[in-house]
Amino acid sequence: MKNNVFYYSTSSNAFQMEGARNLHGRTDSIWDWYTKTYFKIPPNNSTEREINSIEVASDFYHKYKSDVKIMKDLGLNAFVYNMDWTRIFPKDENYVNPMGLQFYDNLFNELSKNKIKPIPILFHWDTPMWLEIKGGWTSKEILPAFRNYCSTVFKYLGKYTDVWFVNDENKSFTLDGYLGNIFPPCKNSPSDFVKAIHNLNMSAAIAKEEFLKAKNEGYVSEDSILGIDDDWSPPIVWNNGNDEKQNEDLINNYNAWMRDFWIDPNIKGEYPKVFWDYLKENKLDANILEEELSYLQKFKLDFIGWNFYRPYFITNKNNNVDIKLLHKEPVSYSFGDFVVVLPKEHKNYTKWLWPIYPEYLEVGLKAYKDKYNLPIMIIENGFGDFDDKSNELILDIDRINYLQPILESVNKCRKLDLNLFGYSMWTFCDIFSPSAGYRKDYGLVSVDFNSQIKERKPKLSYCYYKNVIMSNGEDTNFDKERLVKELSNLLINWDILWK
């Protein structure tokens, strides 16, 4: 990647957006199984978790051409997309589904024709069910299958882009799906957790080896880069006393577990000490072979993606915190010296109790620069809400209020030489959320999920982000009345072919 272009993008994910789950040779992933098995619809306006069908979702599979038109009008010069392994390899590690591959070729070609760079992510939580039956990420059988997937994708799609990611949010995937049971595959097993994370790390090194082969064979350009995407939340020490050394130790322990552990193996080629101590203390066998540690060291990734939504307030595990000071019980893990808390004294939260604290975007980027000094792209940042879609104009002003200081900080950080080369907003249009189904709106574009055609409609935030992009990030301020006029005019000319 040689150019100095800054990427203004949106991000999305196949199982949350694509639909067409049983069409053209595709079979189930673990998220198909999970949403069918644990289907649940809470009352309206409740923040209780909804687990809904992903059979159609936002129907991006059929609507990608009109969606790309909308992306072009928005002014995007990139689109981050988490691909669907199962659509390309629906039954075993050797059979390539031509129609699955054709869909991504069509999508990437359509994006490229409209001067929007595809930025693919190879894996985001949706293990093929045929592989899960063999043990999924707890079994080394998954690694040759992932190698074939990588080599196939690089061979047939490598010509479209020079920016790639292997994995997205290994932390959420394994903490909630392997150490816990609220995401598939619902293992709730420390033993499965450590095996899964090591195999995920190995998969990234395998991807890098295949990436280098693809460069030698001319499938991927020589200057292409391959990264890993993580969702570290910078820490804020809360109610932990005034001992500076104690607080520094707490932050270091938190960062070792909640940042370093998830990216060091693929960025530095090694596990942090806390992981080896955890294995020893808990008598766990992660099935790590000596030659695999050398392999991680040999095939390190090139850059970092960061999903920034919020910081975490933390305090020491041994503190007796008055629950009356918190919105809910502290969250603790089987590792680390910290717990995550939601103090009432912080007044700015989303409806899902995610702290709003835009200052920590700069704090986080500086921390990444200090530790890794690699190129970095913000891959996810956005605002989940109950958007009012009852009127002609969707005036999601709370989303704009959230985004404005974030985008102001992005522009500042570009000038501070923090290695930042792109910002991608979560997400393009309303989609299925793993934590809240279809009731948690994230999109700049509304999707009418009650419509047979999943009709699209821009929100006020669409006009806001469009203006920011037009100014190359320099003008992040907004005037509500002016934006409302722009949205009204946009809807007058909203071509039926875009809906």
Side-chain angles (χ1 to χ4, degrees):
M1 188 182 69
K2 293 178 180 176
N3 61 47
N4 294 317
V5 173
F6 189 85
Y7 294 110
Y8 280 105
S9 171
T10 59
S11 301
S12 202
N13 177 20
F15 78 81
Q16 297 176 251
M17 182 188 197
E18 208 165 274
R21 306 305 280 174
N22 298 310
L23 287 186
H24 301 153
R26 189 193 176 277
T27 58
D28 280 357
S29 75
I30 58 175
W31 272 93
D32 296 279
W33 163 79
Y34 182 77
T35 51
K36 292 172 187 175
T37 305
Y38 295 96
F39 185 89
K40 178 185 178 183
I41 309 295
N44 284 342
N45 297 318
S46 167
T47 58
E48 186 182 350
R49 188 181 183 200
E50 172 188 298
I51 305 173
N52 210 328
S53 171
I54 56 174
E55 181 63 32
V56 179
S58 310
D59 204 20
F60 184 62
Y61 188 81
H62 292 110
K63 297 178 73 74
Y64 73 90
K65 284 193 175 183
S66 53
D67 280 341
V68 170
K69 288 181 185 178
I70 298 170
M71 292 178 196
K72 183 179 181 180
D73 178 78
L74 180 57
L76 302 184
N77 60 358
F79 178 56
V80 176
Y81 196 63
N82 295 267
M83 296 174 63
D84 182 357
W85 182 359
T86 313
R87 195 174 291 286
I88 298 175
F89 282 85
K91 64 178 184 179
D92 60 39
E93 66 183 73
N94 296 311
Y95 172 74
V96 179
N97 177 19
M99 294 194 75
L101 197 58
Q102 186 68 60
F103 168 70
Y104 289 111
D105 185 81
N106 290 342
L107 169 61
F108 290 3
N109 183 54
E110 191 71 18
L111 288 164
S112 299
K113 283 193 306 183
N114 287 279
K115 296 181 170 49
I116 301 170
K117 181 190 291 290
I119 300 181
I121 301 180
L122 295 169
F123 179 76
H124 183 112
W125 305 0
D126 51 350
T127 314
M129 202 64 205
W130 61 265
L131 266 170
E132 185 60 38
I133 291 167
K134 297 180 179 181
W137 288 102
T138 65
S139 169
K140 292 191 187 297
E141 280 194 54
I142 202 167
L143 298 178
F146 192 76
R147 183 182 294 278
N148 287 358
Y149 170 51
C150 292
S151 64
T152 299
V153 169
F154 294 149
K155 178 178 180 179
Y156 291 102
L157 304 175
K159 61 187 175 184
Y160 287 113
T161 184
D162 56 2
V163 183
W164 292 81
F165 286 94
V166 184
N167 297 324
D168 186 358
E169 294 187 339
N170 286 345
K171 183 191 293 101
S172 295
F173 176 47
T174 53
L175 289 184
D176 291 334
Y178 285 86
L179 196 56
N181 62 1
I182 64 171
F183 284 172
C186 309
K187 294 294 187 181
N188 199 23
S189 163
S191 177
D192 286 341
F193 164 68
V194 295
K195 289 184 178 73
I197 191 60
H198 177 63
N199 285 330
L200 282 161
N201 291 330
M202 285 297 297
S203 76
I206 285 168
K208 180 61 181 289
E209 184 180 21
E210 293 303 317
F211 198 61
L212 294 174
K213 289 179 185 176
K215 285 186 179 186
N216 290 334
E217 292 166 354
Y219 299 132
V220 176
S221 66
E222 185 58 38
D223 59 339
S224 295
I225 56 175
L226 180 68
I228 189 166
D229 188 32
D230 186 45
D231 54 345
W232 172 60
S233 295
I236 303 173
V237 175
W238 177 82
N239 199 26
N240 202 60
N242 297 317
D243 187 323
E244 290 186 13
K245 177 67 165 60
Q246 183 180 10
N247 289 340
E248 183 182 354
D249 289 345
L250 181 67
I251 288 174
N252 289 339
N253 181 262
Y254 170 89
N255 284 337
W257 271 115
M258 300 300 274
R259 181 192 60 193
D260 306 354
F261 173 57
W262 307 97
I263 61 176
D264 276 13
N266 294 130
I267 295 297
K268 299 180 71 177
E270 61 189 23
Y271 286 100
K273 181 178 182 296
V274 291
F275 180 55
W276 298 113
D277 292 343
Y278 176 76
L279 293 177
K280 185 177 180 180
E281 290 165 9
N282 292 277
K283 297 181 174 58
L284 295 171
D285 179 10
N287 197 11
I288 299 174
L289 307 178
E290 193 65 37
E291 58 266 31
E292 291 175 335
L293 295 176
S294 302
Y295 190 80
L296 289 173
Q297 189 65 230
K298 184 177 181 181
F299 294 107
K300 293 179 280 193
L301 299 183
D302 307 315
F303 75 109
I304 296 167
W306 184 31
N307 298 353
F308 172 74
Y309 289 96
R310 63 208 189 276
Y312 274 171
F313 292 97
I314 63 169
T315 191
N316 196 282
K317 250 181 188 173
N318 297 323
N319 281 355
N320 292 318
V321 180
D322 185 354
I323 190 65
K324 293 177 184 177
L325 300 176
L326 307 177
H327 284 289
K328 55 173 65 175
E329 292 281 345
V331 175
S332 64
Y333 303 93
S334 63
F335 53 74
D337 301 331
F338 59 90
V339 292
V340 178
V341 293
L342 295 171
K344 291 179 180 178
E345 67 182 48
H346 180 72
K347 300 303 180 186
N348 206 3
Y349 287 93
T350 71
K351 293 182 177 70
W352 278 265
L353 287 176
W354 289 22
I356 298 174
Y357 218 138
E359 294 87 340
Y360 275 79
L361 182 139
E362 182 180 342
V363 171
L365 287 174
K366 285 180 176 176
Y368 277 118
K369 172 76 182 288
D370 290 344
K371 182 170 175 68
Y372 301 102
N373 197 23
L374 288 173
I376 189 166
M377 181 174 179
I378 296 167
I379 293 300
E380 289 185 28
N381 167 258
F383 183 78
D385 203 7
F386 293 115
D387 290 339
D388 183 357
K389 302 179 182 180
S390 61
N391 300 311
E392 178 64 15
L393 301 182
I394 303 174
L395 306 179
D396 56 337
I397 195 71
D398 287 346
R399 179 168 292 109
I400 297 174
N401 284 331
Y402 170 87
L403 292 171
Q404 190 278 326
I406 291 285
L407 287 165
E408 184 179 14
S409 182
V410 166
N411 191 46
K412 177 184 176 184
C413 290
R414 288 175 63 183
K415 299 170 182 177
L416 289 176
D417 189 26
L418 296 178
N419 300 336
L420 183 65
F421 70 90
Y423 168 86
S424 194
M425 189 181 298
W426 188 268
T427 179
F428 165 69
C429 70
D430 294 335
I431 58 174
F432 168 83
S433 166
S435 63
Y438 296 106
R439 64 189 54 214
K440 191 177 189 182
D441 298 309
Y442 269 105
L444 299 169
V445 176
S446 168
V447 174
D448 182 356
F449 291 107
N450 294 316
S451 160
Q452 284 293 98
I453 62 166
K454 303 297 179 268
E455 188 170 319
R456 287 7 182 192
K457 188 179 188 180
K459 305 175 188 177
L460 196 67
S461 58
Y462 177 98
C463 295
Y464 171 67
Y465 192 38
K466 182 175 181 177
N467 287 337
V468 172
I469 295 171
M470 285 176 62
S471 74
N472 192 28
E474 292 292 337
D475 185 4
T476 61
N477 295 316
F478 68 95
D479 177 271
K480 183 180 176 182
E481 289 186 12
R482 182 171 63 84
L483 282 182
V484 168
K485 287 180 182 177
E486 289 181 15
L487 180 59
S488 299
N489 291 333
L490 183 61
L491 287 175
I492 291 171
N493 298 303
W494 194 250
D495 193 294
I496 192 169
L497 296 178
W498 293 12
K499 294 183 177 182

